[in-house]
Amino acid sequence: MHIDDRFLGLILVGMGTAIYLIARTFPLMAGIPYGPGFFPSIAAVGLIVCGIIIAVTGTLKSRAAPVIGSGASVGSAARGALLRPLIICLVVIFFALALPVLGFHIAAVLTVGAAAFVFGAHPLVAPVLALAAAFGTHAVFYSVLRVPLPWGILTPYAW
């Protein structure tokens, strides 16, 4: 199964635009210059930018001469194309289930580390990336936005 990158890019741009427009309707909170629509708006803009990049890259690839590969490489590429969205769904489900039990730090480290490793990060880089992402996100939410994240089994060590 092959999805044209131009089509996929346009879908992402459409989804990003819809998310951005919906996030703009969220009410602002008194005394805070940003509200609950702030992060969805940032994610939506990122989705739009990624969609544009994917669509432009797909357009440039379609103009290049087609490369004829062996059947084995096409088959493995198709399996990878199907497997990666499934892995993303499983990672999101794991994070949603593990967050209240394990807490944000452990769930985020496991989720980001596993996703990074599955998507090709070096085995030594994936844990470092996972730790940096988890503690960086915690710092932003806890210190800057003053939004508490669940500690789970680490509650006795919460600061």
Side-chain angles (χ1 to χ4, degrees), residues 1 3-4 8 19-20 33-34 40-41 51 57-58 63-65 75 77-79 83 95 115 136-137 147 158-159:
M1 181 176 133
I3 299 174
D4 191 314
L8 182 61
I19 292 169
Y20 183 81
Y34 49 86
S41 296
T57 304
R63 290 184 180 173
R79 279 192 301 272
L83 194 58
F95 185 76
T137 302
V147 175
W159 61 81

Side-chain angles (χ1 to χ4, degrees), residues 45-60:
V45 170
L47 200 59
I48 292 169
V49 170
C50 289
I52 291 170
I53 291 171
I54 290 172
V56 169
T57 304
T59 301
L60 295 176

Side-chain angles (χ1 to χ4, degrees), residues 5-75:
D5 286 345
R6 296 172 290 187
F7 179 69
L8 182 61
L10 289 177
I11 289 174
L12 291 177
V13 169
M15 288 174 53
T17 303
I19 292 169
Y20 183 81
L21 292 174
I22 291 170
R24 300 279 299 165
T25 64
F26 293 168
L28 291 176
M29 298 167 60
I32 301 175
Y34 49 86
F38 182 67
F39 280 111
S41 296
I42 292 173
V45 170
L47 200 59
I48 292 169
V49 170
C50 289
I52 291 170
I53 291 171
I54 290 172
V56 169
T57 304
T59 301
L60 295 176
K61 283 183 181 176
S62 69
R63 290 184 180 173
V67 177
I68 299 174
S70 68
S73 65
V74 172

Side-chain angles (χ1 to χ4, degrees), residues 47-139:
L47 200 59
I48 292 169
V49 170
C50 289
I52 291 170
I53 291 171
I54 290 172
V56 169
T57 304
T59 301
L60 295 176
K61 283 183 181 176
S62 69
R63 290 184 180 173
V67 177
I68 299 174
S70 68
S73 65
V74 172
S76 64
R79 279 192 301 272
L82 290 176
L83 194 58
R84 287 186 175 147
L86 177 64
I87 290 171
I88 290 294
C89 290
L90 292 175
V91 164
V92 170
I93 290 170
F94 169 78
F95 185 76
L97 295 174
L99 183 64
V101 178
L102 299 177
F104 174 78
H105 298 86
I106 295 174
V109 167
L110 292 175
T111 302
V112 173
F117 181 71
V118 167
F119 285 95
H122 190 275
L124 296 177
V125 173
V128 174
L129 175 68
L131 285 170
F135 285 94
T137 302
H138 177 264

